[in-house]
Amino acid sequence: MTSNPPTVAPRAETASPQIPLLLSAVFLAFLGQMTLNPIIAPLSREVGLAEWQIGVTISVAAVMVVTTSQFWGRRSQSWGRKPVLVAAFVLATTAMVLFALLAHLGMNGVINGVLLFALFVLLRGVGFGTAIAAVPATAQAYIADVTTDEQARVKGMAGVGAVQGVAMIGGAVVGGVLSALGLIAPLIAVPILLALGLVLVAFRLRRETGTELIGRPAKVRPTDPRVWPFLLAGFGMFTALGFIQVITGFIVQDRLGLDPETTGVVTGGALLAAGLGMVLAQAVIVPRSGWSPATLLRARGSVALIGFALLIFDAGAVLLFAAILLIGLGLGIAMPGYTAGPTLLVGRDEQGGLAGLTGATTGLTFVIAPTAGTALYGAWQPLPIVVGTVIMATVTVFVIVHPRFRQVRAAVSDSAAR
């Protein structure tokens, strides 16, 4: 291994790790987010917003993830996981209660135009984007802190992805089913789910003692040679995903000729297919495979590439669903390699900063991709899918040829013993 080994050993737990509880918090946060996804396209049209305005709203949320993830990741080590997650869930719940009220007023014509758009950006973009950034960064930093070898680390990080995949399935079901009752129903469900997450972390999560905290967590530079190849690969994967994720509802509605309520239901089914692929990958394939992070990235991105390529063609619902399933499966296998790989190469005092950096890298992809994707979709419907396919192909080649993905295989326990 050519990288510097970690200089700070994982901390000794005085009680059993609460990884399942942290994963439950991630699940509830993303279930709230995913419940909104099936209705965002028809909702935008119901309140009179253009596709590009929804793209801007999502991009602003991504900007907040980029700018706050490192802050949250380091604070989770210095303040403790519980204060960070309580603050995040309070902010998320408040923002989405107000967002539901705003959407209701917009659908009834009470608020419209520039004011409606500005409030969409403020609540869904700034408020919720800032809050959601804290949750995966905190969970990933915690998992890196309490796991001591490569296999456990990969399994733990895959758990984060698996619960996000389950949340995608649950959100597709909840959002899709509730949308049949009207677009306001899923909007009411979102803050309720977030409030459940708040109750969970407030009453069940232990607060760390002073000896378990790190007074001054280290920053990790994105140009650090230990981590930048992983960050670049992750950036490419999530950029490709971002080009299609926000337009899925528009693809479903336009290709299949559906009304707004039916679009919500069918879009929920499409997101369900992607979630099934991710859950199969991260809950079954990755934990049982024993593959290293490099192998996960190097050998499995091609599956997602096939899905992207198939999605270009307008050949009916079956091909559309199959393509989205393959995208979820391929990215679900590759993502634990992106999140776990660099954690094996840095010290304990760097884990919070690294978790924030991976979150920021993911968020950065959604700064440009949703706005660009919706704009390209308006110009020519297959264009954002073509662009996403090209990006995914480039990532696939990069992880095959770059030496980092042929060399890195680290064990934290061995490095910490040096």
Side-chain angles (χ1 to χ4, degrees):
M1 188 177 76
T2 61
S3 305
N4 296 326
T7 57
V8 180
R11 67 184 174 96
E13 283 284 295
T14 57
S16 60
Q18 291 188 290
I19 291 177
L21 193 149
L22 266 292
L23 294 181
S24 298
V26 174
F27 170 73
L28 288 168
F30 280 87
L31 180 62
Q33 181 182 22
M34 297 301 175
T35 295
L36 188 63
N37 282 354
I39 66 160
I40 196 67
L43 175 64
S44 69
R45 289 172 173 172
E46 283 291 299
V47 300
L49 294 180
E51 289 93 338
W52 70 266
Q53 290 175 309
I54 292 300
V56 168
T57 301
I58 296 172
S59 292
V60 169
V63 169
M64 301 313 300
V65 172
V66 171
T67 56
T68 63
S69 284
Q70 278 236 37
F71 169 83
W72 288 125
R74 295 198 305 274
R75 294 294 80 75
S76 75
Q77 290 193 297
S78 60
W79 295 351
R81 276 81 188 189
K82 185 169 185 173
V84 166
L85 288 176
V86 167
F89 274 102
V90 167
L91 177 57
T93 303
T94 302
M96 295 314 292
V97 166
L98 295 175
F99 183 80
L101 177 61
L102 174 65
H104 175 70
L105 295 175
M107 286 187 286
N108 287 279
V110 177
I111 300 177
N112 52 42
V114 175
L115 178 60
L116 179 69
F117 174 48
L119 291 174
F120 256 62
V121 171
L122 178 64
L123 296 174
R124 176 61 180 83
V126 177
F128 189 73
T130 299
I132 201 70
V135 181
T138 299
Q140 289 172 12
Y142 179 80
I143 290 168
D145 209 12
V146 300
T147 52
T148 58
D149 60 71
E150 181 181 83
Q151 187 172 0
R153 183 72 51 82
V154 171
K155 185 177 180 179
M157 295 298 179
V160 176
V163 296
Q164 289 176 313
V166 173
M168 183 178 292
I169 295 172
V173 172
V174 174
V177 171
L178 290 180
S179 67
L181 305 176
L183 297 181
I184 195 65
L187 292 169
I188 295 172
V190 171
I192 293 174
L193 294 168
L194 296 171
L196 290 174
L198 173 60
V199 171
L200 177 69
V201 298
F203 290 98
R204 296 293 304 278
L205 185 62
R206 290 191 303 268
R207 186 162 185 172
E208 291 97 335
T209 64
T211 57
E212 294 175 307
L213 302 176
I214 296 176
R216 299 185 65 180
K219 292 184 178 181
V220 180
R221 295 178 294 107
T223 56
D224 189 314
R226 297 172 296 176
V227 304
W228 76 258
F230 289 94
L231 297 179
L232 186 59
F235 177 82
M237 289 191 301
F238 283 104
T239 297
L241 179 62
F243 268 99
I244 67 163
Q245 190 174 51
V246 73
I247 64 169
T248 299
F250 299 121
I251 293 172
V252 167
Q253 187 168 27
D254 294 336
R255 288 188 180 181
L256 305 181
L258 305 176
D259 59 55
E261 285 73 20
T262 307
T263 297
V265 175
V266 179
T267 301
L271 297 175
L272 175 63
L276 286 171
M278 286 191 175
V279 170
L280 176 63
Q282 299 186 343
V284 179
I285 296 175
V286 173
R288 295 184 180 182
S289 69
W291 291 325
S292 70
T295 301
L296 293 171
L297 280 167
R298 190 173 63 240
R300 311 306 157 190
S302 57
V303 176
L305 177 59
I306 294 171
F308 278 97
L310 290 176
L311 192 60
I312 296 173
F313 303 100
D314 182 0
V318 173
L319 183 64
L320 189 154
F321 275 66
I324 292 176
L325 175 65
L326 287 174
I327 291 171
L329 179 65
L331 292 181
I333 295 174
M335 284 175 187
Y338 158 61
T339 54
T343 70
L344 296 164
L345 305 176
V346 303
R348 185 194 164 210
D349 61 338
E350 297 173 294
Q351 295 294 350
L354 176 61
L357 186 58
T358 56
T361 300
T362 303
L364 183 61
T365 65
F366 289 95
V367 174
I368 299 173
T371 301
T374 49
L376 292 174
Y377 187 82
W380 182 47
Q381 292 182 3
L383 187 56
I385 308 171
V386 172
V387 173
T389 303
V390 171
I391 294 172
M392 194 65 217
T394 303
V395 171
T396 302
V397 173
F398 173 71
V399 298
I400 291 173
V401 303
H402 194 280
R404 166 61 70 201
F405 303 103
R406 295 195 300 270
Q407 296 170 356
V408 63
R409 188 172 182 92
V412 174
S413 56
D414 293 343
S415 299
R418 298 182 185 183

